[in-house]
Amino acid sequence: MAAAFHDGCWMAKSLLVAAGFIGSMWIPQAFMVMYLNLAKWLSALYVLYQGLLILIVAYKINEQLVRNYENDETCCSQAILLGFTLIITAGNITWIVLQFQEFHGG
């Protein structure tokens, strides 16, 4: 039944979204202020969590590339490691420069 509702029933889903939108007009201001403050702090925690996951994946990919480099007779893995290092370093430097240009007055 869930698959049928997910793939179909567009009118019911559209009415549900419209009812939620119209009903949100009567949410009290105090609730919205509390929600916005909570969302601000939870979003910061979410960004930290996402950064941690990206770091873990980067370490896993790097470990595999280094393992391939140590066992590889050709220079393919070495070229990939060098290329990734140069691209990511150039991207980081560009990002830092652009951030200082945009937000230098702070």
Side-chain angles (χ1 to χ4, degrees), residues 1-2 5 10 13 17 23-24 26 30 32 35 42 44 46 49-51 65-66 79 84 89 96 98 102 106:
M1 169 134 175
F5 184 75
W10 288 104
K13 289 190 276 187
V17 169
S24 69
W26 286 275
M32 292 306 292
Y35 170 75
L42 288 178
Y46 180 73
Y49 175 71
Q50 288 294 98
L65 285 172
V66 169
F84 274 149
T89 302
I96 290 170
L98 290 174
E102 184 69 27

Side-chain angles (χ1 to χ4, degrees), residues 75-87:
C75 294
C76 184
S77 294
Q78 183 179 8
I80 292 171
L81 277 170
L82 184 62
F84 274 149
T85 301
L86 293 175
I87 290 169

Side-chain angles (χ1 to χ4, degrees), residues 38-61:
L38 181 67
K40 176 176 61 173
W41 292 106
L42 288 178
S43 66
L45 291 176
Y46 180 73
V47 167
L48 290 174
Y49 175 71
Q50 288 294 98
L52 181 64
L53 289 179
I54 290 170
L55 188 61
I56 290 170
V57 169
Y59 272 112
K60 294 289 185 185
I61 292 171

Side-chain angles (χ1 to χ4, degrees), residues 27-36:
I27 296 176
Q29 180 73 18
F31 175 80
M32 292 306 292
V33 169
M34 184 269 309
Y35 170 75
L36 292 174

